[in-house]
Amino acid sequence: MKRLTLISIVFLFTFQLQAQQGERTPIGGRPNIKGDLFLDFGFNLLNNRPEDLNTRFIASRVVNIYYQTQIPLGANSGFTFNPGLGFGLEKLAFQDNQTLIPDPAKGPNSSQLVSISEIYGENIRVSTNTMAINYFDIPIEIRYHANKEDYNNGFRAAIGGKFGLLYNAHSKIGVTNSDGLEQKVKNSQEYGLSPIRYGVYTRLGFPGFNLWGYYGLNGLFEEEQGPFGTETTQFNFGVSVALF
C-alpha cells in the first residue's frame, strides 16, 4: 500500500510537470504546478453504531492523499470547481482487544466482532490490533477564495463530496503468548464492508493549511453483513497541508 501511494504521487508530479513544460520557477520557490496536492491527517469515528462496536480514538486514524486541479468559474468571481483523485487510508482500532473475523452464519463476505483471545488463546499479550480500510477516492468540490485577485493566497472555503472504491481491507494483529512466542498476522478479507462509499465534506483554511471534515452518507458495511447488523456510517475530521 505504501509503495502504491508513492508511485501515485510520483505519477501526479510527472504528469503535471510535463503539462507545464516551458514554465520555470525561481530557485527556492514553490513549484509552478496548477492545483493542490493535499496530505490530510485526522481521525476516524463511527456514527450510529452499537455500544459494543467501540473504537479507540487516537489509534483510529486517517491519512488522505488527494490531488485536485482548479477550474475558475468566471473571471475573478472567487469561485472554482476542483475535481480530483487520490487515496483514503483509514484505520479502525476496536476496544477491549477485539477484532473482526468472517461470520459463517452470514456467509464469507461478512464480519463479527470477537475477542482476540478466542483466536490465539488465553494468557496472551496483544501488542497490535488495527483494521486498515483503504479507498481510491474521487473528491469534487466548489471552492470560494476570499482573495479574488490571487487564488493562491488568502482564506478559502470549500464544500463538496467524494466517491470512493474500496481496494483493500485487512486486520493487523500482534500477540505474544505465555511462552514468549510472538506472532504478527495480517489478514485480508472483505469483512462485509461496502465496496463503495460516498459522502459530503468541507475544507476551510489557507493555501498551505486547512481544517477538513467528511460525513459518510452510506453504511460502512453492506446491509446485515457487519457485526451486530450495524448500519454505522463514517465521520472523519482533521487537518491538512498542501504540498503544492
Side-chain angles (χ1 to χ4, degrees):
M1 181 269 291
K2 293 181 180 179
R3 183 177 301 174
L4 176 62
T5 300
L6 179 60
I7 292 173
S8 302
I9 293 175
V10 172
F11 170 78
L12 291 171
F13 268 108
T14 303
F15 176 81
Q16 283 298 313
L17 287 173
Q18 289 177 344
Q20 299 292 326
Q21 284 183 356
E23 297 184 17
R24 295 182 178 272
T25 302
I27 295 176
R30 176 175 171 171
N32 189 10
I33 301 174
K34 294 182 179 179
D36 298 282
L37 181 63
F38 289 113
L39 187 59
D40 297 344
F41 302 94
F43 300 98
N44 190 13
L45 303 181
L46 298 181
N47 289 318
N48 190 32
R49 56 166 177 76
E51 185 176 352
D52 292 332
L53 203 62
N54 289 330
T55 57
R56 291 174 283 140
F57 176 73
I58 298 297
S60 298
R61 298 184 295 270
V62 176
V63 175
N64 297 323
I65 304 171
Y66 295 149
Y67 170 74
Q68 292 179 262
T69 190
Q70 182 165 282
I71 303 172
L73 298 177
N76 297 327
S77 68
F79 289 95
T80 58
F81 174 59
N82 299 80
L85 53 83
F87 296 95
L89 312 175
E90 305 189 0
K91 289 187 182 296
L92 287 174
F94 298 105
Q95 291 186 356
D96 303 322
N97 289 333
Q98 297 185 96
T99 189
L100 296 182
I101 63 171
D103 186 346
K106 293 182 290 191
N109 183 18
S110 64
S111 61
Q112 59 181 318
L113 190 69
V114 301
S115 172
I116 292 176
S117 63
E118 292 185 28
I119 306 171
Y120 297 97
E122 301 293 338
N123 301 318
I124 59 172
R125 179 173 58 85
V126 179
S127 56
T128 303
N129 177 26
T130 58
M131 174 73 60
I133 308 173
N134 300 322
Y135 297 90
F136 174 74
D137 284 334
I138 301 175
I140 298 174
E141 68 183 49
I142 298 293
R143 190 180 297 170
Y144 174 73
H145 304 258
N147 187 340
K148 298 181 181 180
E149 302 297 325
D150 183 1
Y151 290 173
N152 291 320
N153 289 291
F155 178 81
R156 56 191 188 180
I159 186 169
K162 67 180 177 182
F163 175 84
L165 296 174
L166 180 70
Y167 70 87
N168 175 263
H170 64 265
S171 63
K172 185 178 291 185
I173 297 175
V175 299
T176 304
N177 66 16
S178 57
D179 295 325
L181 177 63
E182 184 178 2
Q183 298 183 67
K184 293 183 178 180
V185 179
K186 179 180 175 180
N187 186 10
S188 295
Q189 299 280 346
E190 295 180 337
Y191 296 107
L193 293 163
S194 174
I196 65 171
R197 72 166 174 181
Y198 53 89
V200 295
Y201 76 92
T202 186
R203 191 184 294 275
L204 304 170
F206 296 85
F209 179 83
N210 298 265
L211 300 176
W212 62 272
Y214 165 79
Y215 186 88
L217 297 178
N218 71 310
L220 177 62
F221 296 92
E222 295 194 85
E223 186 176 359
E224 298 297 329
Q225 296 303 300
F228 315 112
T230 181
E231 297 180 355
T232 186
T233 58
Q234 293 176 290
F235 174 60
N236 305 156
F237 68 95
V239 300
S240 70
V241 293
L243 302 184
F244 61 75

